[in-house]
Amino acid sequence: MTELLVKNACVIDPLNGILLETMDIPVRDGKIVSSVSSAADVIDARGCLTLPGGIDSHSHVCGTKVNFGRYMSPEDMRAGRTARRGKMHVTSGYYVPTTFGNSYRYSTMGYTTVLEGAMAPLEARHTHEEFTATPHQDMLANTLFDGNWAIMESVRERDFKKTAAIVAWTLAAVKGYSIKLTNPGGTEAWGWGDDLSSIHDPVPNFNVTPAEIIAAMIEANELLGLPHSVHLHCNNLGKPGNYRTTLETFDLVPDKNNARQTLYATHVQFHAYGGTTWRDINSKAEEITRSVNAKPQIVMDMGQIMFGRTMTMTADGPMEFNLYCLHHNKWSNHDVELETGSGIIPVLYSKKSLVNCVMWAIGLELALLTKDPYQCLLATDNPNGAPFVKYPEIIGLLMSRRYRDEEFATLHEGTGQRTAIASIDREMDWNEIAVMTRAGQAKALGMAAQGKGHLGEGAEADIAIYPIRCHAVDPATEYRKVVEGFQKTMFTIKRGRVVARDGEVIVEGANSTFWVNPSVPEDLSVRNDPEFVRKFREYYTVRMDNYPVQDVYLPRGKCIRTEGAL
Amino acid sequence: MKAILNTGRTVPQGEAVEHKASPTYRAVVSVCYMNPVDLMELGITEGAHVAVTSRTGRIVLTTWTSEGVSRGEIFVPLGPYANHIIAPETHATGMPDFKGETVDIVPTDEPVKDVGSLMEEIGGLRYDH
Amino acid sequence: MIIKDVVCPFCGCLCDDLDVEVEGQKVIKVQNGCALAEAKFTGSGRLPAPIRRTPTGWDDVSYDDAIRETAEILVAADRPLLYGWSSTHGDAQSMGVHIAELIGGVIDNTSTVCHGPSILAIQEVGHPGCTLGQVKNRADVIVYWGCNPTEAHPRHMSRYTTFATGFFVPEAQKDRTVIVVDTRRTESAEIADEFIRIERGGDYEVLSALRAIVRGKGNVVPKMVAGVSREQLFRVAEICKKAKFGAIFFGLGLTMSAGKYKNVRNAIELTDELNRHTKFTISPLRGHGNVYGSNEVFTWITGYPYAVDFSRGIAFYNPGETTAVDILRRGECDAALIVASDPGAHFPHAAAAHLAKIPTVLIDPHMTATTPLCRIQIPCTIAGIDAEGTAYRMDGVPIRYRKVITSSYPDDADILKKIHDRIREVQGS
């Protein structure tokens, strides 16, 4: 038995309605309890801000395309290097750091759970290997279904139960957590070098539309009772005028779940563009947030961009090719048979670029114009919009109008005409930031039930203590203190163990991977569907028996068994 | 005769690659594939030995006819024989010139050495189990 | 007993449909595999126990002694080189990187003398690729450039390309056009619809000419380019542009010939150019079963795919300087650990000779051409035969090697773990 008592913690725990209350947090064997014995180890938080461990609900940190981003970028590896020190391995890289680099930086920022934004099922083993080498965060994998042949066929047949059965088999086989759709249908079209331009375009050779795929996957998701909702990267990412597609997509979404949203729309900044070309691009954050404010069934994340160099990487292959044609930077592409695509290209977001300035403003507008912070979470689509180490700056921008104004003054002079950012007064408070960085994520991902994102009794003791005295800091004016405070915790506690202290990781990590195994009646199981088995054998280049990820890849795997309505 | 040395994989080389001390391995990687016209020009027939000399070394190989090999080129399967004469410079790429070394070829009666002997020439000691 | 769907660990194709028949602890028959697979599974010639070189011969040593001495050699070295890693699984590769990190060594893998130049090209211009099933199901034009799959990847054509049926390519041979580019008329060339024979060293020029034609600047192309006629170049460019899905595979003909990574860069840029007209992908034909895995593992731990130097504490990468052949050629390393590869056979001897001058430890199941050069050899399991673990196919698809027989040999990952732990003990860390 190990016991720990965090004393004098100034706690914000939105899911339990606790706001800046100074209290003690007793921990036993990795969980928060009501009291501990006098033999417990004691940490004195000295009245500093104490939050549930941070959760990133959309980040690209592990797997085939992330590693290819590293592989092709020695220039980035040179941009951030640390030597082996204490319990910390060597790290390299700034925007696509090595796995240990990601893990240490997240940990010292107080983040203890991360959802990998896109895992191709065929390459899942790779993602899980890197999860093991990202030892300080519990990991979850969004599993890609956007171009899945069997799924599209079942959607065409309007057989939702079959759609659900395919999802269930795949998630269990690849140890995935949730359904991810990236440019649904578009990644299949990209198999021929094409893309789709509307959610009502038919996918070549499959005769289904993105709208039908999205609707069917929402049905399947809820039939299976998955903890998270469908997680969608909308069609037409990064195209001027794409806000119409986004709004049209949001209008498809019924409200089907009382506990959480029915659709998680990711990196919406990239999907909120007005105009017709790069010349007249403008912000449509107002239209987007008007829709979201009226639809409790939708949660989004910002997809904020921050200025500087970074790497774009996504399953959205055609979008990356468009970027290549624009930038002529080095371009990688990796289509995955029967499933999805992916592309990678480095970018520089510059204040001299009006387009980039508009993008920066849109992300902030989305957050500031969304009334309920549970509906707009803080993320950069790491590293697409910016590496996650920029989160503290984003927090500063959300909390301080002065900081925004000062930044705005350094931007391209045309920014004001294309965006509304300069006229927004809202300054977020500590509670709203806590929602946007942990409570909201836990709720959206369905992870609160697993003890994530809150500090109530029975919760996992993932705790971040920041060197911030909330009562003594005015974020509106002292935003620098806020930014610095969120950059390094005094203590990051993971399952009751202090893992990082004052910016140093001090132990070897022992994370868990959460995955979902939905129950499906035998007669619906695709394993018993001869047609599914035949097509698998004929068209995949890996045998069905060699496809599932073995348990050995999840040394501390946590299986969530769901009982749906199938 | 001057020629350009090309090296690469062959199926027999691959089959024997985990039996480096075996006569089979020696037989399949100590081969010099040549265009039949070049062979004629050297005045020898398939199966005769040649000494191949580069700026780095000299090796004796058994000739073999191959229509697919261009005149002025020889092909030697990758392995310790080819590597006995390939220069270690990499032109700052890490990769030696495994394809494209210039060599000189003359007929010879000398025998083809075994792998152990080649390794002993560079300071090794054969292991006879 | 017949074990189904076994993964072949020989080449980067990682065919996973072999039926392997086992009697006791011996493989007696391999079905579906190529000649290389059969030789791999039914092979003998394994070193029975660890050996140590003496002034006059070889002594047997215990595993414990061999491991202890290896740790001492590595700790005592100022500039140790850790090389190989491609014929084993991910756990061993990962442990190798951690040892290098611990002792400030240089770690390199066999891509250094294989597709290292391809990696350099990719680091310059990226890599438009795909998984092999994408080619199998869609490609109507296949290009093999500077490679000979018939000999090096014998089932590549039947599983993934020329002879494979796919969803959109129901009649493989009829539906696909195959183009082979080589300096030799190989067996692969005999199968081609179009064989482009180029003069040795002419790859860069021919690629440039094709790029010009695809870009609509064909008027600059002379009558003959490195032995290839203008007519043929125009014909081939047209076939490629008209493809619904084209796939280029390239081999060491590009990476080892003059120009090296610049040849590969040019081929990638031709692919980029073709993507403005249709769908095209390009992929290196990776050699060893799990060589791509060594790149993957090195990359997620260190940030670099090969040639990683930890002597400064941080991970430093500079191919040409920190690559194994260069370090040996300069006589720079003062100890070496060779794992799952055979530089004695596959490095220029003028470089490999240095291994005999320094304490070299070899961890490998077989007696190899490196055996005579080493001071200690520790035999281990063979990944994919008597050990399981992860391997990455040439297209990045991770597959788990199966263990088809049980042997008394220790897994190389376990040997390395013991060396690692012993080093930590000696270092007091």
Side-chain angles (χ1 to χ4, degrees):
Chain A
M1 186 178 77
T2 59
E3 289 187 326
L4 175 73
L5 183 66
V6 181
K7 290 179 77 159
N8 302 318
C10 178
V11 174
I12 302 179
D13 178 5
L15 289 175
N16 290 306
I18 296 171
L19 176 60
L20 296 175
E21 230 173 85
T22 301
M23 55 198 283
D24 296 347
I25 308 171
V27 174
R28 183 179 308 119
D29 293 334
K31 301 246 189 230
I32 293 173
V33 292
S34 58
S35 64
V36 285
S37 71
S38 57
D41 290 338
V42 175
I43 285 176
D44 189 350
R46 302 197 309 259
C48 288
L49 174 63
T50 302
L51 300 174
I55 302 175
D56 199 331
S57 53
H58 190 100
S59 177
H60 300 276
V61 281
C62 292
T64 307
K65 78 184 166 322
V66 179
N67 213 36
F68 208 85
R70 301 179 185 117
Y71 180 98
M72 67 189 265
S73 311
E75 69 279 14
D76 184 55
M77 294 309 129
R78 284 195 294 272
R81 299 192 289 202
T82 57
R84 184 171 166 272
R85 189 173 69 238
K87 300 284 182 189
M88 287 157 72
H89 289 289
V90 161
T91 75
S92 306
Y94 170 63
Y95 47 73
V96 265
T98 50
T99 55
F100 292 106
N102 275 325
S103 196
Y104 300 153
R105 290 172 211 178
Y106 262 129
S107 191
T108 53
M109 280 170 52
Y111 274 73
T112 50
T113 302
V114 176
L115 173 123
E116 162 54 45
M119 172 174 85
L122 180 62
E123 295 166 339
R125 210 169 266 104
H126 184 165
T127 305
H128 288 290
E129 288 213 288
E130 290 197 29
F131 279 0
T132 307
T134 310
H136 293 285
Q137 286 72 35
D138 288 335
M139 303 300 292
L140 306 83
N142 252 350
T143 308
L144 292 159
F145 288 97
D146 36 75
N148 188 297
W149 288 5
I151 291 283
M152 287 192 290
E153 283 167 8
S154 72
V155 172
R156 188 176 58 213
E157 293 155 13
R158 307 201 175 282
D159 187 346
F160 295 147
K161 285 189 172 177
K162 190 168 177 189
T163 307
I166 297 164
V167 169
W169 179 79
T170 309
L171 285 180
V174 305
K175 310 280 193 281
Y177 183 76
S178 43
I179 296 175
K180 171 77 182 296
L181 300 174
T182 293
N183 184 2
T187 56
E188 165 56 30
W190 178 241
W192 303 111
D194 295 327
D195 195 3
L196 305 177
S197 58
S198 134
I199 58 168
H200 302 299
D201 283 359
V203 181
N205 305 303
F206 284 89
N207 199 26
V208 289
T209 65
E212 289 165 344
I213 297 172
I214 295 164
M217 290 303 263
I218 287 174
E219 288 292 330
N221 195 92
E222 302 310 318
L223 271 176
L224 292 170
L226 302 185
H228 187 31
S229 68
V230 166
H231 192 117
L232 177 67
H233 156 142
C234 288
N235 299 79
N236 281 332
L237 181 144
K239 292 182 194 158
N242 64 7
Y243 80 105
R244 289 177 202 283
T245 304
T246 309
L247 290 177
E248 236 182 317
T249 306
F250 288 179
D251 286 340
L252 292 173
V253 183
D255 190 353
K256 293 184 76 89
N257 193 310
N258 293 328
R260 53 148 169 81
Q261 77 287 351
T262 304
L263 181 79
Y264 182 105
T266 191
H267 42 68
V268 173
Q269 175 276 129
F270 292 110
H271 303 275
Y273 303 158
T276 53
T277 68
W278 294 114
R279 285 177 194 284
D280 64 355
I281 183 174
N282 56 63
S283 169
K284 290 290 178 188
E286 219 175 309
E287 285 79 350
I288 297 287
T289 50
R290 195 180 305 132
S291 171
V292 171
N293 285 334
K295 293 186 179 70
Q297 66 267 40
I298 290 174
V299 164
M300 59 181 171
D301 71 57
M302 296 166 73
Q304 179 64 24
I305 74 147
M306 295 295 275
F307 298 104
R309 275 182 201 287
T310 192
M311 183 70 94
T312 65
M313 49 176 65
T314 164
D316 196 343
M319 191 286 297
E320 291 286 353
F321 182 68
N322 292 339
L323 264 189
Y324 162 69
C325 293
L326 210 63
H327 293 286
H328 297 280
N329 269 345
K330 53 184 170 188
W331 166 58
S332 290
N333 177 78
H334 183 73
D335 298 348
V336 181
E337 64 206 58
L338 285 80
E339 293 179 353
T340 185
S342 72
I344 311 173
I345 205 166
V347 291
L348 167 66
Y349 294 121
S350 163
K351 290 183 178 179
K352 291 177 180 164
S353 155
L354 177 54
V355 171
N356 294 162
C357 292
V358 170
M359 293 164 78
W360 176 86
I362 292 173
L364 295 172
E365 287 173 12
L366 288 172
L368 295 166
L369 297 174
T370 301
K371 288 185 186 137
D372 179 358
Y374 279 99
Q375 281 189 276
C376 186
L377 308 177
L378 192 157
T380 58
D381 186 19
N382 168 71
N384 286 285
F388 63 82
V389 292
K390 295 276 194 184
Y391 288 179
E393 287 174 50
I394 299 171
I395 293 173
L397 289 164
L398 293 173
M399 296 186 90
S400 167
R401 166 144 200 185
R402 185 194 287 185
Y403 186 15
R404 291 201 296 271
D405 288 346
E406 284 172 13
E407 274 295 288
F408 185 81
T410 67
L411 303 187
H412 188 289
E413 57 189 16
T415 312
Q417 289 170 343
R418 311 288 184 92
T419 67
I421 188 69
S423 64
I424 300 175
D425 291 326
R426 183 174 177 190
E427 290 180 327
M428 290 190 152
D429 61 27
W430 300 107
N431 188 59
E432 287 172 319
I433 295 302
V435 170
M436 289 183 71
T437 55
R438 46 266 290 163
Q441 278 82 354
K443 187 169 174 239
L445 295 175
M447 283 294 282
Q450 304 298 323
K452 297 294 182 189
H454 71 99
L455 299 174
E457 226 182 291
E460 299 243 21
D462 294 352
I463 306 166
I465 306 171
Y466 296 95
I468 299 173
R469 287 196 170 75
C470 295
H471 297 295
V473 178
D474 174 19
T477 54
E478 298 174 286
Y479 58 83
R480 294 250 169 257
K481 282 189 185 164
V482 173
V483 172
E484 271 171 37
F486 277 111
Q487 276 166 346
K488 268 184 208 167
T489 59
M490 288 159 60
F491 297 93
T492 302
I493 297 165
K494 177 103 195 90
R495 285 213 178 85
R497 198 167 59 127
V498 177
V499 290
R501 197 172 173 167
D502 301 324
E504 291 273 314
V505 167
I506 57 171
V507 294
E508 272 160 26
N511 64 350
S512 287
T513 296
F514 288 83
W515 60 286
V516 173
N517 187 0
S519 70
V520 171
E522 263 310 287
D523 60 315
L524 284 178
S525 167
V526 292
R527 271 235 75 119
N528 301 324
D529 175 350
E531 192 59 7
F532 183 86
V533 173
R534 179 188 68 80
K535 285 184 173 162
F536 200 109
R537 189 179 58 238
E538 286 183 15
Y539 304 126
Y540 269 105
T541 55
V542 171
R543 306 289 275 192
M544 202 160 166
D545 277 346
N546 287 325
Y547 186 84
V549 173
Q550 292 81 357
D551 290 337
V552 65
Y553 289 92
L554 289 81
R556 285 170 300 274
K558 292 208 168 181
C559 174
I560 301 171
R561 185 91 189 152
T562 70
E563 296 296 334
L566 258 190
Chain B
M1 186 175 91
K2 289 266 179 235
I4 303 286
L5 168 62
N6 185 9
T7 67
R9 288 180 195 281
T10 67
V11 165
Q13 168 266 329
E15 285 175 313
V17 75
E18 286 175 349
H19 305 84
K20 295 241 169 59
S22 70
T24 316
Y25 182 69
R26 169 170 60 163
V28 298
V29 295
S30 63
V31 180
C32 175
Y33 292 89
M34 295 181 75
N35 188 285
V37 181
D38 282 350
L39 212 55
M40 221 183 323
E41 200 161 285
L42 282 177
I44 52 175
T45 53
E46 186 173 80
H49 291 181
V50 285
V52 183
T53 309
S54 73
R55 57 196 158 133
T56 350
R58 180 173 179 278
I59 190 84
V60 175
L61 302 168
T62 308
T63 56
W64 202 261
T65 308
S66 172
E67 300 275 353
V69 175
S70 297
R71 291 202 58 198
E73 256 187 42
I74 61 171
F75 178 84
V76 181
L78 93 166
Y81 292 86
N83 275 312
H84 213 59
I85 55 172
I86 282 171
E89 281 82 29
T90 76
H91 319 289
T93 64
M95 172 68 86
D97 295 323
F98 288 114
K99 294 174 186 284
E101 187 88 33
T102 304
V103 293
D104 195 53
I105 305 165
V106 290
T108 178
D109 293 331
E110 290 172 54
V112 173
K113 290 179 179 163
D114 62 14
V115 176
S117 306
L118 294 185
M119 302 324 286
E120 286 182 345
E121 273 183 35
I122 60 167
L125 178 66
R126 77 178 65 217
Y127 174 73
D128 294 312
H129 60 105
Chain C
M1 182 178 59
I2 293 176
I3 306 169
K4 294 216 161 279
D5 295 340
V6 171
V7 184
C8 172
F10 191 93
C11 84
C13 284
L14 293 185
C15 303
D16 74 333
D17 60 346
L18 274 57
D19 290 348
V20 171
E21 194 173 342
V22 174
E23 227 176 64
Q25 294 312 325
K26 205 170 156 28
V27 174
I28 54 166
K29 198 169 169 192
V30 178
Q31 275 178 17
N32 296 343
C34 65
L36 301 176
E38 189 165 339
K40 177 95 192 174
F41 278 97
T42 58
S44 53
R46 291 172 72 163
L47 188 69
I51 51 170
R52 185 204 280 125
R53 183 171 167 178
T54 65
T56 53
W58 295 88
D59 283 347
D60 284 350
V61 285
S62 70
Y63 275 99
D64 285 347
D65 285 347
I67 286 167
R68 194 175 315 119
E69 197 171 329
T70 302
E72 281 161 15
I73 288 169
L74 292 174
V75 170
D78 290 324
R79 192 150 175 75
L81 170 69
L82 291 78
Y83 174 76
W85 312 105
S86 296
S87 293
T88 184
H89 53 72
D91 288 346
Q93 293 164 342
S94 172
M95 195 46 70
V97 178
H98 290 311
I99 292 175
E101 191 187 1
L102 211 53
I103 58 176
V106 177
I107 187 161
D108 197 8
N109 54 57
T110 62
S111 54
T112 201
V113 288
C114 198
H115 277 284
S118 309
I119 294 170
L120 297 181
I122 287 166
Q123 291 176 339
E124 287 191 353
V125 291
H127 175 205
C130 63
T131 66
L132 288 162
Q134 200 68 349
V135 176
K136 166 188 155 82
N137 286 313
R138 295 176 203 261
D140 56 345
V141 173
I142 309 279
V143 182
Y144 283 109
W145 196 305
C147 54
N148 187 9
T150 313
E151 303 277 335
H153 301 88
R155 294 183 72 210
H156 194 266
M157 288 190 175
S158 59
R159 264 175 72 80
Y160 308 121
T161 67
T162 320
F163 308 119
T165 53
F167 186 77
F168 296 107
V169 199
E171 291 188 61
Q173 270 179 285
K174 200 171 119 237
D175 296 337
R176 301 197 211 259
T177 304
V178 178
I179 299 166
V180 170
V181 189
D182 209 327
T183 59
R184 280 190 301 152
R185 182 177 278 281
T186 60
E187 277 184 58
S188 304
E190 301 294 341
I191 295 159
D193 298 289
E194 187 83 49
F195 174 50
I196 305 178
R197 186 167 192 163
I198 49 182
E199 287 167 3
R200 174 139 302 281
D203 300 277
Y204 191 88
E205 285 168 74
V206 173
L207 287 161
S208 299
L210 285 171
R211 279 178 72 190
I213 297 167
V214 173
R215 213 167 229 251
K217 312 263 186 198
N219 55 338
V220 303
V221 174
K223 268 203 181 117
M224 293 292 283
V225 180
V228 186
S229 74
R230 190 170 192 271
E231 287 68 36
Q232 189 178 25
L233 290 169
F234 269 80
R235 189 165 69 238
V236 166
E238 204 52 32
I239 294 171
C240 290
K241 277 164 68 180
K242 288 218 173 102
K244 286 202 206 92
F245 185 114
I248 301 173
F249 293 96
F250 67 95
L252 306 184
L254 290 187
T255 66
M256 289 179 172
S257 301
K260 302 200 170 99
Y261 69 102
K262 291 295 181 191
N263 298 328
V264 179
R265 177 184 170 141
N266 217 359
I268 293 172
E269 292 189 295
L270 169 64
T271 313
D272 292 348
E273 198 65 46
L274 283 163
N275 270 290
R276 294 170 188 271
H277 299 269
T278 181
K279 179 80 181 190
F280 242 87
T281 64
I282 181 165
S283 308
L285 284 173
R286 307 300 306 261
H288 285 80
N290 192 26
V291 60
Y292 195 50
S294 64
N295 297 142
E296 295 276 16
V297 170
F298 281 29
T299 300
W300 80 60
I301 303 177
T302 76
Y304 305 107
Y306 72 117
V308 185
D309 179 354
F310 287 106
S311 64
R312 295 159 180 84
I314 49 95
F316 176 86
Y317 166 77
N318 188 21
E321 180 195 350
T322 58
T323 24
V325 171
D326 296 280
I327 284 172
L328 289 168
R329 171 177 64 85
R330 291 194 302 264
E332 196 174 290
C333 51
D334 59 350
L337 175 67
I338 311 294
V339 179
S341 75
D342 189 4
H346 299 141
F347 277 10
H349 279 179
H354 186 66
L355 292 172
K357 296 186 187 133
I358 58 174
T360 294
V361 177
L362 172 63
I363 301 178
D364 198 282
H366 301 101
M367 285 163 275
T368 73
T370 306
T371 304
L373 303 180
C374 71
R375 183 167 298 181
I376 295 172
Q377 179 170 356
I378 310 176
C380 59
T381 48
I382 304 173
I385 295 182
D386 47 358
E388 57 184 344
T390 319
Y392 287 77
R393 204 166 69 181
M394 60 168 71
D395 57 350
V397 172
I399 298 180
R400 188 162 183 83
Y401 282 150
R402 293 178 184 224
K403 176 176 167 176
V404 295
I405 55 171
T406 302
S407 74
S408 57
Y409 290 104
D411 193 304
D412 47 3
D414 294 334
I415 296 171
L416 290 161
K417 175 81 168 59
K418 285 184 177 164
I419 293 170
H420 176 270
D421 292 351
R422 179 72 195 147
I423 290 170
R424 288 189 73 154
E425 267 175 51
V426 175
Q427 288 181 335
S429 62

Short mmCIF file of all heavy atoms in Angstrom, two decimals, chain A residues 404-425:
data_model
loop_
_atom_site.label_atom_id
_atom_site.label_comp_id
_atom_site.label_asym_id
_atom_site.label_seq_id
_atom_site.Cartn_x
_atom_site.Cartn_y
_atom_site.Cartn_z
N ARG A 404 -3.74 39.41 -26.24
CA ARG A 404 -4.21 39.25 -27.63
C ARG A 404 -3.98 40.53 -28.42
O ARG A 404 -3.51 40.48 -29.57
CB ARG A 404 -5.72 38.92 -27.64
CG ARG A 404 -6.06 37.55 -27.12
CD ARG A 404 -7.42 37.08 -27.60
NE ARG A 404 -8.55 37.89 -27.15
CZ ARG A 404 -9.22 37.68 -26.01
NH1 ARG A 404 -8.86 36.69 -25.19
NH2 ARG A 404 -10.24 38.45 -25.68
N ASP A 405 -4.28 41.65 -27.80
CA ASP A 405 -4.10 42.93 -28.51
C ASP A 405 -2.64 43.16 -28.86
O ASP A 405 -2.31 43.64 -29.94
CB ASP A 405 -4.62 44.09 -27.65
CG ASP A 405 -6.15 44.10 -27.59
OD1 ASP A 405 -6.78 43.38 -28.42
OD2 ASP A 405 -6.71 44.80 -26.73
N GLU A 406 -1.78 42.81 -27.90
CA GLU A 406 -0.34 43.01 -28.17
C GLU A 406 0.14 42.12 -29.31
O GLU A 406 0.92 42.54 -30.16
CB GLU A 406 0.48 42.71 -26.90
CG GLU A 406 0.37 43.84 -25.89
CD GLU A 406 1.01 43.51 -24.54
OE1 GLU A 406 1.76 42.50 -24.48
OE2 GLU A 406 0.74 44.22 -23.58
N GLU A 407 -0.35 40.89 -29.32
CA GLU A 407 0.00 39.99 -30.43
C GLU A 407 -0.59 40.51 -31.74
O GLU A 407 0.08 40.54 -32.77
CB GLU A 407 -0.56 38.58 -30.16
CG GLU A 407 0.34 37.69 -29.34
CD GLU A 407 1.65 37.36 -30.04
OE1 GLU A 407 1.66 36.59 -31.01
OE2 GLU A 407 2.68 37.91 -29.58
N PHE A 408 -1.84 40.90 -31.65
CA PHE A 408 -2.55 41.36 -32.85
C PHE A 408 -1.80 42.51 -33.52
O PHE A 408 -1.72 42.59 -34.74
CB PHE A 408 -3.97 41.79 -32.45
CG PHE A 408 -4.83 42.17 -33.62
CD1 PHE A 408 -5.46 41.19 -34.39
CD2 PHE A 408 -5.00 43.51 -33.98
CE1 PHE A 408 -6.24 41.54 -35.48
CE2 PHE A 408 -5.79 43.86 -35.08
CZ PHE A 408 -6.41 42.86 -35.83
N ALA A 409 -1.23 43.37 -32.70
CA ALA A 409 -0.52 44.54 -33.22
C ALA A 409 0.69 44.14 -34.06
O ALA A 409 1.19 44.93 -34.87
CB ALA A 409 -0.09 45.44 -32.07
N THR A 410 1.17 42.90 -33.87
CA THR A 410 2.36 42.47 -34.62
C THR A 410 1.99 41.70 -35.90
O THR A 410 2.87 41.26 -36.63
CB THR A 410 3.25 41.55 -33.75
OG1 THR A 410 2.53 40.32 -33.51
CG2 THR A 410 3.61 42.20 -32.44
N LEU A 411 0.70 41.53 -36.14
CA LEU A 411 0.27 40.70 -37.27
C LEU A 411 0.17 41.50 -38.56
O LEU A 411 0.25 42.72 -38.57
CB LEU A 411 -1.09 40.05 -36.97
CG LEU A 411 -1.20 39.20 -35.71
CD1 LEU A 411 -2.55 38.51 -35.68
CD2 LEU A 411 -0.08 38.18 -35.63
N HIS A 412 -0.04 40.76 -39.62
CA HIS A 412 -0.28 41.37 -40.93
C HIS A 412 -1.42 42.38 -40.81
O HIS A 412 -2.45 42.11 -40.17
CB HIS A 412 -0.65 40.26 -41.92
CG HIS A 412 -0.73 40.72 -43.34
ND1 HIS A 412 -1.74 41.52 -43.82
CD2 HIS A 412 0.09 40.48 -44.40
CE1 HIS A 412 -1.55 41.75 -45.10
NE2 HIS A 412 -0.44 41.13 -45.48
N GLU A 413 -1.25 43.52 -41.44
CA GLU A 413 -2.21 44.61 -41.21
C GLU A 413 -3.61 44.29 -41.72
O GLU A 413 -4.59 44.91 -41.29
CB GLU A 413 -1.69 45.89 -41.88
CG GLU A 413 -1.44 45.69 -43.37
CD GLU A 413 -0.72 46.88 -44.01
OE1 GLU A 413 -0.17 47.70 -43.26
OE2 GLU A 413 -0.73 46.95 -45.25
N GLY A 414 -3.73 43.32 -42.60
CA GLY A 414 -5.05 42.99 -43.12
C GLY A 414 -5.90 42.12 -42.21
O GLY A 414 -7.07 41.86 -42.48
N THR A 415 -5.31 41.65 -41.12
CA THR A 415 -5.97 40.66 -40.27
C THR A 415 -7.32 41.18 -39.73
O THR A 415 -8.29 40.45 -39.68
CB THR A 415 -5.05 40.26 -39.09
OG1 THR A 415 -3.76 39.95 -39.62
CG2 THR A 415 -5.60 39.05 -38.35
N GLY A 416 -7.34 42.44 -39.35
CA GLY A 416 -8.53 43.00 -38.72
C GLY A 416 -9.77 42.97 -39.62
O GLY A 416 -10.88 42.77 -39.15
N GLN A 417 -9.54 43.14 -40.92
CA GLN A 417 -10.68 43.15 -41.85
C GLN A 417 -11.25 41.77 -42.09
O GLN A 417 -12.39 41.62 -42.50
CB GLN A 417 -10.24 43.74 -43.19
CG GLN A 417 -9.99 45.22 -43.10
CD GLN A 417 -9.31 45.74 -44.35
OE1 GLN A 417 -8.76 44.98 -45.14
NE2 GLN A 417 -9.36 47.06 -44.53
N ARG A 418 -10.45 40.77 -41.84
CA ARG A 418 -10.88 39.40 -42.17
C ARG A 418 -11.39 38.64 -40.95
O ARG A 418 -11.87 37.53 -41.08
CB ARG A 418 -9.70 38.59 -42.75
CG ARG A 418 -8.94 39.27 -43.86
CD ARG A 418 -9.76 39.29 -45.14
NE ARG A 418 -8.99 39.85 -46.24
CZ ARG A 418 -8.25 39.13 -47.07
NH1 ARG A 418 -8.21 37.83 -46.94
NH2 ARG A 418 -7.58 39.71 -48.04
N THR A 419 -11.19 39.23 -39.77
CA THR A 419 -11.51 38.50 -38.54
C THR A 419 -12.16 39.43 -37.54
O THR A 419 -12.15 40.65 -37.72
CB THR A 419 -10.23 37.94 -37.88
OG1 THR A 419 -9.44 39.04 -37.42
CG2 THR A 419 -9.40 37.11 -38.85
N ALA A 420 -12.70 38.83 -36.49
CA ALA A 420 -13.35 39.64 -35.46
C ALA A 420 -12.56 39.63 -34.16
O ALA A 420 -13.02 40.15 -33.14
CB ALA A 420 -14.76 39.10 -35.22
N ILE A 421 -11.40 39.04 -34.18
CA ILE A 421 -10.68 38.80 -32.93
C ILE A 421 -10.46 40.08 -32.14
O ILE A 421 -10.55 40.07 -30.90
CB ILE A 421 -9.34 38.07 -33.21
CG1 ILE A 421 -8.67 37.64 -31.92
CG2 ILE A 421 -8.38 38.88 -34.05
CD1 ILE A 421 -9.36 36.55 -31.17
N ALA A 422 -10.19 41.17 -32.84
CA ALA A 422 -9.85 42.41 -32.13
C ALA A 422 -11.03 42.99 -31.37
O ALA A 422 -10.87 43.84 -30.49
CB ALA A 422 -9.28 43.43 -33.11
N SER A 423 -12.24 42.54 -31.71
CA SER A 423 -13.41 43.12 -31.04
C SER A 423 -13.97 42.22 -29.94
O SER A 423 -15.01 42.53 -29.36
CB SER A 423 -14.50 43.39 -32.09
OG SER A 423 -14.92 42.15 -32.64
N ILE A 424 -13.31 41.13 -29.66
CA ILE A 424 -13.84 40.22 -28.64
C ILE A 424 -13.23 40.55 -27.28
O ILE A 424 -12.01 40.55 -27.12
CB ILE A 424 -13.56 38.74 -29.01
CG1 ILE A 424 -14.22 38.41 -30.36
CG2 ILE A 424 -14.07 37.80 -27.91
CD1 ILE A 424 -13.91 37.03 -30.88
N ASP A 425 -14.10 40.81 -26.31
CA ASP A 425 -13.63 41.21 -24.98
C ASP A 425 -13.42 40.04 -24.03
O ASP A 425 -12.72 40.17 -23.05
CB ASP A 425 -14.66 42.15 -24.32
CG ASP A 425 -14.72 43.49 -25.04
OD1 ASP A 425 -13.65 43.93 -25.51
OD2 ASP A 425 -15.83 44.05 -25.15
#
